[in-house]
Amino acid sequence: MRFALEELTCGYRGKRVLSDISISVRTGDCLCVLGCNGVGKTTLFKSILGLLPLIEGRVTVDGREMQGLPARERARLIGYVPQAHVPPFPYTVLDIVVMGRVAHQGMFASPGKQDVEIARQTLDSLGILHLADCVYTQISGGERQMALIARALTQQPAVLLMDEPTANLDFANQARVLERVCRLTGQGVIVVMTSHSPDHALRCDAKVLLLEREGGHSFGTAQEMIRPEKLNRAYGVPVCITEGRYRNHVVRGCVPLIDADVKPDASDNDRTDQRKEETL
């Protein structure tokens, strides 16, 4: 399976927000879209989903152009987890998650036993099966976010788009979601997610599309893109990359240097000098 953006230019009412993006990822890849507020991450997702018309270029899955497919067929290929969602009626969490099966049903069909079982299995895999009978509007924001992830997974798409999937989650649930992302890519799902945290790209060993404030962009592996000079250009703050060891694994993380008197070392352009190595 191959997911590709081919010479993609997108924006609103003809106004270009992102221009000439050409990237591709394959089965088992995670693509993390990074960049500061307002650079176009959500615009990119809306364009991929067909909610905004493309100005130029194509979005393809295995060579099939998404713009030319019926909505139901697109839904079988691409799932979506939004940042927030509040339904107008007090559905249960299980009702919300079962809605992910719509793409696999006939026009007037109701969910069957298999659809409900798939939804319950997905809730269980995320550790929130106990919420199945709870009213969706009465649970916490973090729990609603987990339910939306379950709904998208119940859709069983080839490509899963996740817009800030950890935005409303506590530390433990962030870790669970990122662990689930790693498991999904291991099962052959292509995951494309936006994030404000470069650490998430490192955690998922992701490919990275880094959107810059001036409208430029760059693409590569997490090891290539999560570097002080690149993050400084994208976010406008000096960044230190730290390294530590946990058992036999090297763990990397990003620390913004918010002290106005701290300047990034010139050698940061070529290597990470400011690092801490310890055995946990």
Side-chain angles (χ1 to χ4, degrees), residues 69-122:
L69 293 179
R72 186 179 296 273
E73 186 65 21
R74 288 201 307 269
R76 291 175 180 171
L77 291 171
I78 298 180
Y80 176 54
V81 180
Q83 290 187 30
H85 171 258
V86 180
F89 302 106
Y91 296 108
T92 67
V93 169
L94 183 61
D95 289 336
I96 292 291
V97 176
V98 169
M99 290 177 186
R101 299 299 300 166
V102 170
H104 300 274
Q105 298 167 2
M107 184 173 297
F108 300 106
S110 298
K113 291 183 178 180
Q114 183 180 8
D115 298 313
V116 174
E117 182 59 26
I118 290 173
R120 293 185 67 86
Q121 288 174 2
T122 304

Tab-separated table of all heavy atoms in Angstrom, residues 69-122:
chain	number	residue	atom	x	y	z
A	69	LEU	N	-13.071	9.350	-6.231
A	69	LEU	CA	-13.788	8.217	-5.658
A	69	LEU	C	-15.049	8.673	-4.926
A	69	LEU	O	-15.076	9.762	-4.338
A	69	LEU	CB	-12.885	7.473	-4.674
A	69	LEU	CG	-11.669	6.747	-5.258
A	69	LEU	CD1	-10.882	6.094	-4.128
A	69	LEU	CD2	-12.081	5.717	-6.294
A	70	PRO	N	-16.103	7.841	-4.908
A	70	PRO	CA	-17.284	8.144	-4.096
A	70	PRO	C	-16.906	8.232	-2.616
A	70	PRO	O	-15.930	7.621	-2.175
A	70	PRO	CB	-18.221	6.962	-4.357
A	70	PRO	CG	-17.724	6.344	-5.627
A	70	PRO	CD	-16.249	6.588	-5.671
A	71	ALA	N	-17.697	8.978	-1.855
A	71	ALA	CA	-17.396	9.199	-0.435
A	71	ALA	C	-17.280	7.888	0.330
A	71	ALA	O	-16.407	7.732	1.190
A	71	ALA	CB	-18.466	10.097	0.177
A	72	ARG	N	-18.168	6.932	0.048
A	72	ARG	CA	-18.133	5.654	0.775
A	72	ARG	C	-16.835	4.900	0.499
A	72	ARG	O	-16.244	4.295	1.405
A	72	ARG	CB	-19.339	4.801	0.389
A	72	ARG	CG	-19.468	3.508	1.205
A	72	ARG	CD	-20.716	2.744	0.775
A	72	ARG	NE	-21.917	3.514	1.071
A	72	ARG	CZ	-22.553	3.477	2.243
A	72	ARG	NH1	-22.098	2.708	3.210
A	72	ARG	NH2	-23.633	4.190	2.442
A	73	GLU	N	-16.371	4.948	-0.741
A	73	GLU	CA	-15.125	4.268	-1.089
A	73	GLU	C	-13.934	4.954	-0.434
A	73	GLU	O	-13.010	4.289	0.054
A	73	GLU	CB	-14.953	4.245	-2.608
A	73	GLU	CG	-13.757	3.431	-3.101
A	73	GLU	CD	-13.886	1.954	-2.798
A	73	GLU	OE1	-15.012	1.482	-2.572
A	73	GLU	OE2	-12.850	1.269	-2.777
A	74	ARG	N	-13.942	6.278	-0.389
A	74	ARG	CA	-12.869	7.001	0.303
A	74	ARG	C	-12.840	6.631	1.778
A	74	ARG	O	-11.773	6.483	2.378
A	74	ARG	CB	-13.056	8.516	0.154
A	74	ARG	CG	-12.764	9.054	-1.228
A	74	ARG	CD	-12.463	10.553	-1.185
A	74	ARG	NE	-13.503	11.319	-0.516
A	74	ARG	CZ	-14.543	11.857	-1.136
A	74	ARG	NH1	-14.680	11.700	-2.457
A	74	ARG	NH2	-15.441	12.564	-0.472
A	75	ALA	N	-14.039	6.469	2.371
A	75	ALA	CA	-14.118	6.144	3.795
A	75	ALA	C	-13.562	4.761	4.104
A	75	ALA	O	-13.113	4.499	5.221
A	75	ALA	CB	-15.558	6.254	4.271
A	76	ARG	N	-13.604	3.862	3.138
A	76	ARG	CA	-13.031	2.536	3.355
A	76	ARG	C	-11.506	2.560	3.285
A	76	ARG	O	-10.844	1.650	3.786
A	76	ARG	CB	-13.578	1.565	2.309
A	76	ARG	CG	-15.061	1.240	2.492
A	76	ARG	CD	-15.569	0.370	1.364
A	76	ARG	NE	-16.989	0.054	1.537
A	76	ARG	CZ	-17.737	-0.546	0.625
A	76	ARG	NH1	-17.192	-0.913	-0.530
A	76	ARG	NH2	-19.011	-0.774	0.862
A	77	LEU	N	-10.971	3.594	2.667
A	77	LEU	CA	-9.523	3.700	2.514
A	77	LEU	C	-8.890	4.618	3.552
A	77	LEU	O	-7.778	4.364	4.015
A	77	LEU	CB	-9.178	4.211	1.103
A	77	LEU	CG	-9.471	3.252	-0.049
A	77	LEU	CD1	-9.290	3.959	-1.383
A	77	LEU	CD2	-8.560	2.034	0.024
A	78	ILE	N	-9.590	5.697	3.917
A	78	ILE	CA	-9.010	6.702	4.808
A	78	ILE	C	-9.951	6.966	5.985
A	78	ILE	O	-11.110	7.325	5.801
A	78	ILE	CB	-8.730	8.024	4.063
A	78	ILE	CG1	-7.710	7.804	2.937
A	78	ILE	CG2	-8.204	9.085	5.028
A	78	ILE	CD1	-7.378	9.062	2.157
A	79	GLY	N	-9.449	6.767	7.201
A	79	GLY	CA	-10.186	7.111	8.410
A	79	GLY	C	-9.651	8.403	8.989
A	79	GLY	O	-8.535	8.834	8.682
A	80	TYR	N	-10.455	9.026	9.863
A	80	TYR	CA	-10.094	10.352	10.368
A	80	TYR	C	-10.450	10.476	11.842
A	80	TYR	O	-11.560	10.139	12.252
A	80	TYR	CB	-10.838	11.422	9.558
A	80	TYR	CG	-10.630	12.846	10.033
A	80	TYR	CD1	-9.354	13.372	10.188
A	80	TYR	CD2	-11.725	13.666	10.313
A	80	TYR	CE1	-9.166	14.679	10.610
A	80	TYR	CE2	-11.545	14.980	10.734
A	80	TYR	CZ	-10.257	15.475	10.884
A	80	TYR	OH	-10.075	16.761	11.302
A	81	VAL	N	-9.506	10.978	12.632
A	81	VAL	CA	-9.739	11.299	14.040
A	81	VAL	C	-9.604	12.809	14.192
A	81	VAL	O	-8.497	13.348	14.111
A	81	VAL	CB	-8.727	10.596	14.961
A	81	VAL	CG1	-9.004	10.953	16.423
A	81	VAL	CG2	-8.779	9.088	14.770
A	82	PRO	N	-10.714	13.544	14.401
A	82	PRO	CA	-10.643	14.996	14.550
A	82	PRO	C	-10.126	15.391	15.925
A	82	PRO	O	-9.993	14.557	16.825
A	82	PRO	CB	-12.094	15.440	14.358
A	82	PRO	CG	-12.885	14.273	14.866
A	82	PRO	CD	-12.090	13.039	14.494
A	83	GLN	N	-9.845	16.689	16.096
A	83	GLN	CA	-9.383	17.173	17.395
A	83	GLN	C	-10.498	17.145	18.430
A	83	GLN	O	-10.263	16.901	19.604
A	83	GLN	CB	-8.855	18.604	17.260
A	83	GLN	CG	-7.548	18.704	16.497
A	83	GLN	CD	-6.976	20.106	16.545
A	83	GLN	OE1	-7.173	20.843	17.498
A	83	GLN	NE2	-6.272	20.494	15.503
A	84	ALA	N	-11.724	17.427	18.015
A	84	ALA	CA	-12.839	17.475	18.964
A	84	ALA	C	-14.132	17.188	18.227
A	84	ALA	O	-14.247	17.434	17.030
A	84	ALA	CB	-12.913	18.842	19.649
A	85	HIS	N	-15.107	16.652	18.971
A	85	HIS	CA	-16.396	16.325	18.360
A	85	HIS	C	-17.448	16.206	19.452
A	85	HIS	O	-17.239	15.490	20.431
A	85	HIS	CB	-16.286	14.998	17.591
A	85	HIS	CG	-17.612	14.480	17.112
A	85	HIS	ND1	-18.286	13.447	17.749
A	85	HIS	CD2	-18.392	14.853	16.079
A	85	HIS	CE1	-19.411	13.195	17.102
A	85	HIS	NE2	-19.510	14.033	16.100
A	86	VAL	N	-18.524	16.956	19.332
A	86	VAL	CA	-19.630	16.856	20.278
A	86	VAL	C	-20.912	16.615	19.485
A	86	VAL	O	-21.386	17.505	18.777
A	86	VAL	CB	-19.776	18.127	21.140
A	86	VAL	CG1	-20.952	17.970	22.105
A	86	VAL	CG2	-18.498	18.401	21.920
A	87	PRO	N	-21.483	15.412	19.540
A	87	PRO	CA	-22.688	15.105	18.763
A	87	PRO	C	-23.901	15.836	19.328
A	87	PRO	O	-23.931	16.189	20.514
A	87	PRO	CB	-22.828	13.593	18.918
A	87	PRO	CG	-22.196	13.309	20.248
A	87	PRO	CD	-21.044	14.281	20.369
A	88	PRO	N	-24.926	16.050	18.512
A	88	PRO	CA	-26.101	16.789	18.978
A	88	PRO	C	-27.025	15.958	19.866
A	88	PRO	O	-27.916	16.517	20.508
A	88	PRO	CB	-26.809	17.166	17.671
A	88	PRO	CG	-26.398	16.094	16.700
A	88	PRO	CD	-24.974	15.736	17.071
A	89	PHE	N	-26.826	14.632	19.916
A	89	PHE	CA	-27.687	13.768	20.716
A	89	PHE	C	-26.829	12.978	21.703
A	89	PHE	O	-25.649	12.714	21.455
A	89	PHE	CB	-28.472	12.813	19.820
A	89	PHE	CG	-29.332	13.512	18.799
A	89	PHE	CD1	-28.958	13.532	17.459
A	89	PHE	CD2	-30.497	14.163	19.179
A	89	PHE	CE1	-29.737	14.182	16.520
A	89	PHE	CE2	-31.282	14.816	18.250
A	89	PHE	CZ	-30.905	14.835	16.914
A	90	PRO	N	-27.409	12.568	22.825
A	90	PRO	CA	-26.645	11.867	23.874
A	90	PRO	C	-26.426	10.390	23.552
A	90	PRO	O	-26.974	9.508	24.230
A	90	PRO	CB	-27.513	12.067	25.122
A	90	PRO	CG	-28.905	12.157	24.594
A	90	PRO	CD	-28.787	12.881	23.271
A	91	TYR	N	-25.618	10.106	22.548
A	91	TYR	CA	-25.308	8.729	22.201
A	91	TYR	C	-24.420	8.113	23.272
A	91	TYR	O	-23.661	8.806	23.967
A	91	TYR	CB	-24.575	8.662	20.866
A	91	TYR	CG	-25.368	9.129	19.669
A	91	TYR	CD1	-25.076	10.335	19.052
A	91	TYR	CD2	-26.388	8.345	19.148
A	91	TYR	CE1	-25.784	10.762	17.941
A	91	TYR	CE2	-27.108	8.757	18.033
A	91	TYR	CZ	-26.806	9.971	17.433
A	91	TYR	OH	-27.513	10.379	16.347
A	92	THR	N	-24.447	6.797	23.359
A	92	THR	CA	-23.471	6.113	24.202
A	92	THR	C	-22.146	6.045	23.452
A	92	THR	O	-22.076	6.236	22.228
A	92	THR	CB	-23.917	4.679	24.546
A	92	THR	OG1	-23.910	3.877	23.350
A	92	THR	CG2	-25.295	4.668	25.171
A	93	VAL	N	-21.095	5.761	24.191
A	93	VAL	CA	-19.776	5.619	23.571
A	93	VAL	C	-19.794	4.500	22.538
A	93	VAL	O	-19.235	4.643	21.436
A	93	VAL	CB	-18.712	5.358	24.650
A	93	VAL	CG1	-17.384	4.936	24.011
A	93	VAL	CG2	-18.508	6.596	25.505
A	94	LEU	N	-20.448	3.386	22.849
A	94	LEU	CA	-20.526	2.287	21.885
A	94	LEU	C	-21.252	2.723	20.613
A	94	LEU	O	-20.829	2.360	19.510
A	94	LEU	CB	-21.237	1.088	22.514
A	94	LEU	CG	-21.323	-0.167	21.633
A	94	LEU	CD1	-19.932	-0.676	21.273
A	94	LEU	CD2	-22.121	-1.265	22.338
A	95	ASP	N	-22.316	3.520	20.740
A	95	ASP	CA	-23.020	4.032	19.561
A	95	ASP	C	-22.075	4.841	18.677
A	95	ASP	O	-22.079	4.705	17.449
A	95	ASP	CB	-24.195	4.930	19.979
A	95	ASP	CG	-25.338	4.152	20.602
A	95	ASP	OD1	-25.461	2.956	20.320
A	95	ASP	OD2	-26.099	4.756	21.387
A	96	ILE	N	-21.280	5.711	19.302
A	96	ILE	CA	-20.337	6.557	18.561
A	96	ILE	C	-19.324	5.689	17.813
A	96	ILE	O	-19.024	5.911	16.636
A	96	ILE	CB	-19.610	7.516	19.519
A	96	ILE	CG1	-20.579	8.549	20.091
A	96	ILE	CG2	-18.444	8.213	18.814
A	96	ILE	CD1	-21.098	9.563	19.108
A	97	VAL	N	-18.803	4.685	18.491
A	97	VAL	CA	-17.762	3.851	17.895
A	97	VAL	C	-18.331	2.993	16.769
A	97	VAL	O	-17.690	2.817	15.727
A	97	VAL	CB	-17.092	2.989	18.983
A	97	VAL	CG1	-16.071	2.030	18.360
A	97	VAL	CG2	-16.400	3.887	20.003
A	98	VAL	N	-19.528	2.470	16.939
A	98	VAL	CA	-20.159	1.653	15.894
A	98	VAL	C	-20.382	2.467	14.621
A	98	VAL	O	-20.404	1.906	13.512
A	98	VAL	CB	-21.492	1.066	16.403
A	98	VAL	CG1	-22.299	0.450	15.264
A	98	VAL	CG2	-21.214	-0.004	17.454
A	99	MET	N	-20.510	3.795	14.743
A	99	MET	CA	-20.672	4.639	13.554
A	99	MET	C	-19.502	4.488	12.571
A	99	MET	O	-19.639	4.766	11.382
A	99	MET	CB	-20.810	6.104	13.954
A	99	MET	CG	-22.104	6.437	14.645
A	99	MET	SD	-22.176	8.186	15.166
A	99	MET	CE	-23.715	8.192	16.105
A	100	GLY	N	-18.362	4.031	13.060
A	100	GLY	CA	-17.226	3.802	12.179
A	100	GLY	C	-17.459	2.693	11.169
A	100	GLY	O	-16.716	2.564	10.193
A	101	ARG	N	-18.504	1.888	11.374
A	101	ARG	CA	-18.793	0.773	10.468
A	101	ARG	C	-19.685	1.182	9.295
A	101	ARG	O	-19.970	0.355	8.424
A	101	ARG	CB	-19.488	-0.356	11.243
A	101	ARG	CG	-18.656	-0.936	12.375
A	101	ARG	CD	-17.371	-1.543	11.884
A	101	ARG	NE	-17.620	-2.629	10.939
A	101	ARG	CZ	-16.689	-3.160	10.140
A	101	ARG	NH1	-15.456	-2.676	10.146
A	101	ARG	NH2	-17.000	-4.136	9.332
A	102	VAL	N	-20.119	2.447	9.253
A	102	VAL	CA	-21.042	2.904	8.210
A	102	VAL	C	-20.495	2.639	6.814
A	102	VAL	O	-21.225	2.244	5.899
A	102	VAL	CB	-21.367	4.400	8.394
A	102	VAL	CG1	-22.115	4.949	7.178
A	102	VAL	CG2	-22.193	4.602	9.656
A	103	ALA	N	-19.203	2.831	6.620
A	103	ALA	CA	-18.611	2.653	5.296
A	103	ALA	C	-18.702	1.216	4.804
A	103	ALA	O	-18.574	0.955	3.603
A	103	ALA	CB	-17.152	3.103	5.308
A	104	HIS	N	-18.935	0.274	5.709
A	104	HIS	CA	-18.991	-1.137	5.341
A	104	HIS	C	-20.421	-1.669	5.259
A	104	HIS	O	-20.627	-2.864	5.055
A	104	HIS	CB	-18.198	-1.970	6.356
A	104	HIS	CG	-16.754	-1.594	6.449
A	104	HIS	ND1	-15.791	-2.115	5.615
A	104	HIS	CD2	-16.110	-0.715	7.258
A	104	HIS	CE1	-14.608	-1.601	5.913
A	104	HIS	NE2	-14.773	-0.751	6.914
A	105	GLN	N	-21.402	-0.779	5.415
A	105	GLN	CA	-22.799	-1.201	5.401
A	105	GLN	C	-23.514	-0.681	4.152
A	105	GLN	O	-23.032	0.244	3.491
A	105	GLN	CB	-23.512	-0.658	6.649
A	105	GLN	CG	-22.939	-1.177	7.955
A	105	GLN	CD	-23.445	-0.388	9.149
A	105	GLN	OE1	-24.250	0.523	9.007
A	105	GLN	NE2	-22.959	-0.733	10.332
A	106	GLY	N	-24.647	-1.277	3.852
A	106	GLY	CA	-25.481	-0.778	2.771
A	106	GLY	C	-26.107	0.556	3.146
A	106	GLY	O	-26.065	0.985	4.300
A	107	MET	N	-26.736	1.203	2.172
A	107	MET	CA	-27.239	2.551	2.374
A	107	MET	C	-28.235	2.637	3.528
A	107	MET	O	-28.227	3.579	4.309
A	107	MET	CB	-27.874	3.079	1.080
A	107	MET	CG	-28.345	4.519	1.172
A	107	MET	SD	-28.885	5.162	-0.434
A	107	MET	CE	-27.361	5.089	-1.361
A	108	PHE	N	-29.127	1.652	3.642
A	108	PHE	CA	-30.162	1.707	4.673
A	108	PHE	C	-29.980	0.619	5.736
A	108	PHE	O	-30.903	0.328	6.501
A	108	PHE	CB	-31.550	1.567	4.031
A	108	PHE	CG	-31.849	2.657	3.036
A	108	PHE	CD1	-31.839	2.384	1.666
A	108	PHE	CD2	-32.111	3.943	3.459
A	108	PHE	CE1	-32.100	3.387	0.741
A	108	PHE	CE2	-32.376	4.952	2.541
A	108	PHE	CZ	-32.376	4.683	1.181
A	109	ALA	N	-28.805	0.031	5.792
A	109	ALA	CA	-28.558	-1.065	6.727
A	109	ALA	C	-28.308	-0.547	8.137
A	109	ALA	O	-27.837	0.576	8.335
A	109	ALA	CB	-27.369	-1.896	6.257
A	110	SER	N	-28.626	-1.372	9.109
A	110	SER	CA	-28.331	-1.087	10.507
A	110	SER	C	-27.126	-1.918	10.931
A	110	SER	O	-26.842	-2.964	10.345
A	110	SER	CB	-29.542	-1.442	11.389
A	110	SER	OG	-30.658	-0.657	11.052
A	111	PRO	N	-26.404	-1.471	11.946
A	111	PRO	CA	-25.246	-2.248	12.409
A	111	PRO	C	-25.662	-3.651	12.841
A	111	PRO	O	-26.682	-3.833	13.517
A	111	PRO	CB	-24.735	-1.430	13.604
A	111	PRO	CG	-25.276	-0.057	13.399
A	111	PRO	CD	-26.593	-0.225	12.712
A	112	GLY	N	-24.886	-4.627	12.432
A	112	GLY	CA	-25.153	-6.007	12.818
A	112	GLY	C	-24.321	-6.422	14.010
A	112	GLY	O	-23.533	-5.642	14.558
A	113	LYS	N	-24.466	-7.687	14.425
A	113	LYS	CA	-23.718	-8.198	15.570
A	113	LYS	C	-22.212	-8.119	15.343
A	113	LYS	O	-21.452	-7.814	16.269
A	113	LYS	CB	-24.137	-9.643	15.854
A	113	LYS	CG	-25.555	-9.786	16.390
A	113	LYS	CD	-25.861	-11.242	16.725
A	113	LYS	CE	-27.273	-11.388	17.301
A	113	LYS	NZ	-27.590	-12.803	17.622
A	114	GLN	N	-21.786	-8.392	14.104
A	114	GLN	CA	-20.355	-8.334	13.817
A	114	GLN	C	-19.819	-6.910	13.956
A	114	GLN	O	-18.719	-6.698	14.472
A	114	GLN	CB	-20.071	-8.853	12.398
A	114	GLN	CG	-18.581	-8.879	12.070
A	114	GLN	CD	-18.308	-9.392	10.670
A	114	GLN	OE1	-19.224	-9.598	9.878
A	114	GLN	NE2	-17.045	-9.605	10.358
A	115	ASP	N	-20.600	-5.914	13.500
A	115	ASP	CA	-20.183	-4.518	13.621
A	115	ASP	C	-20.024	-4.123	15.089
A	115	ASP	O	-19.049	-3.474	15.475
A	115	ASP	CB	-21.209	-3.596	12.948
A	115	ASP	CG	-21.342	-3.862	11.461
A	115	ASP	OD1	-20.301	-3.977	10.795
A	115	ASP	OD2	-22.486	-3.951	10.980
A	116	VAL	N	-20.989	-4.535	15.911
A	116	VAL	CA	-20.937	-4.215	17.338
A	116	VAL	C	-19.751	-4.913	17.996
A	116	VAL	O	-19.050	-4.327	18.833
A	116	VAL	CB	-22.255	-4.613	18.036
A	116	VAL	CG1	-22.141	-4.421	19.547
A	116	VAL	CG2	-23.416	-3.791	17.477
A	117	GLU	N	-19.491	-6.153	17.603
A	117	GLU	CA	-18.375	-6.890	18.188
A	117	GLU	C	-17.037	-6.256	17.819
A	117	GLU	O	-16.129	-6.150	18.658
A	117	GLU	CB	-18.410	-8.347	17.728
A	117	GLU	CG	-17.308	-9.222	18.323
A	117	GLU	CD	-17.330	-9.262	19.847
A	117	GLU	OE1	-18.394	-9.058	20.458
A	117	GLU	OE2	-16.250	-9.482	20.433
A	118	ILE	N	-16.901	-5.817	16.571
A	118	ILE	CA	-15.672	-5.129	16.150
A	118	ILE	C	-15.481	-3.858	16.970
A	118	ILE	O	-14.364	-3.537	17.415
A	118	ILE	CB	-15.713	-4.811	14.645
A	118	ILE	CG1	-15.607	-6.105	13.833
A	118	ILE	CG2	-14.582	-3.850	14.248
A	118	ILE	CD1	-15.818	-5.921	12.345
A	119	ALA	N	-16.568	-3.112	17.191
A	119	ALA	CA	-16.496	-1.887	17.986
A	119	ALA	C	-16.078	-2.190	19.424
A	119	ALA	O	-15.231	-1.490	20.001
A	119	ALA	CB	-17.844	-1.169	17.958
A	120	ARG	N	-16.637	-3.234	20.012
A	120	ARG	CA	-16.302	-3.581	21.394
A	120	ARG	C	-14.845	-4.049	21.499
A	120	ARG	O	-14.146	-3.717	22.464
A	120	ARG	CB	-17.257	-4.666	21.916
A	120	ARG	CG	-18.705	-4.194	22.069
A	120	ARG	CD	-19.583	-5.277	22.699
A	120	ARG	NE	-19.185	-5.519	24.071
A	120	ARG	CZ	-19.639	-4.822	25.115
A	120	ARG	NH1	-20.493	-3.834	24.931
A	120	ARG	NH2	-19.237	-5.104	26.337
A	121	GLN	N	-14.377	-4.801	20.506
A	121	GLN	CA	-12.980	-5.242	20.509
A	121	GLN	C	-12.027	-4.058	20.425
A	121	GLN	O	-10.972	-4.044	21.075
A	121	GLN	CB	-12.742	-6.205	19.348
A	121	GLN	CG	-13.381	-7.570	19.527
A	121	GLN	CD	-13.237	-8.443	18.285
A	121	GLN	OE1	-12.629	-8.045	17.291
A	121	GLN	NE2	-13.782	-9.652	18.350
A	122	THR	N	-12.404	-3.056	19.626
A	122	THR	CA	-11.560	-1.874	19.496
A	122	THR	C	-11.520	-1.086	20.801
A	122	THR	O	-10.450	-0.635	21.235
A	122	THR	CB	-12.072	-0.967	18.360
A	122	THR	OG1	-12.145	-1.723	17.153
A	122	THR	CG2	-11.128	0.210	18.150
